[in-house]
Amino acid sequence: MNTNMNNQTSAKLDANNLKILEDQLNYEALMNKKFSTYAGYCTDAELKNLCQQAAQKHKQHYNELYNYLNSHQ
C-alpha cells in the first residue's frame, strides 16, 4: 500500500522540480546552440569535431530531460 502511494506522489512533479527542469532544459538548449556556433567558426578539424560532439551531447541531454518531463505529465 505504501509503494502505491509513493508512485502516485512521484508521478506528478511539483512546481519547484518543474522550474529546475525548465532551467536545465534552457541550459542544455543554450549549450547546444553555442557549441554548434563554435563548430561553425572553427577552422581546425579536431577542434571543430570536439565542438560538434559537445553540441550533440547537449542535444542528447535536452532530449532525455524533455522525455523525462513528458513521462511525468
Side-chain angles (χ1 to χ4, degrees):
M1 186 171 2
N2 191 15
T3 304
N4 219 6
M5 186 179 288
N6 286 338
N7 287 341
Q8 290 173 351
T9 304
S10 65
K12 294 284 184 178
L13 298 170
D14 63 19
N16 188 40
N17 287 333
L18 286 172
K19 177 64 176 146
I20 291 168
L21 280 171
E22 178 186 17
D23 290 345
Q24 194 63 35
L25 282 166
N26 289 334
Y27 168 78
E28 295 296 345
L30 177 63
M31 293 308 294
N32 173 265
K33 185 175 182 177
K34 282 185 174 187
F35 277 112
S36 293
T37 301
Y38 298 156
Y41 293 147
C42 292
T43 55
D44 180 74
E46 188 175 347
L47 188 55
K48 183 179 196 98
N49 186 42
L50 286 173
C51 288
Q52 289 171 337
Q53 287 176 2
Q56 187 61 36
K57 184 57 85 172
H58 285 288
K59 183 177 182 179
Q60 178 185 351
H61 291 165
Y62 178 92
N63 289 335
E64 289 171 358
L65 287 168
Y66 186 78
N67 290 336
Y68 175 81
L69 181 61
N70 283 336
S71 73
H72 285 80
Q73 288 185 348

